[in-house]
Amino acid sequence: AHGGEDGVRHAVRSVMADFDLTLALTGHKSLAELGPDSLIRT
């Protein structure tokens, strides 16, 4: 990542924040709540 170790930290934190937001927007409180029934087939 650009910026060396600090850049990697920033990238990982950004991915984690996006995932946390996605969990919240889908009504899940934690990763443990996700399962096969969390997927919707269209």
Side-chain angles (χ1 to χ4, degrees), residues 11-31:
V12 171
R13 285 182 180 145
S14 294
V15 169
M16 290 172 57
D18 286 347
F19 187 70
D20 189 51
L21 178 60
T22 300
L23 279 176
L25 290 173
T26 59
H28 297 89
K29 294 180 183 176
S30 71
L31 182 61

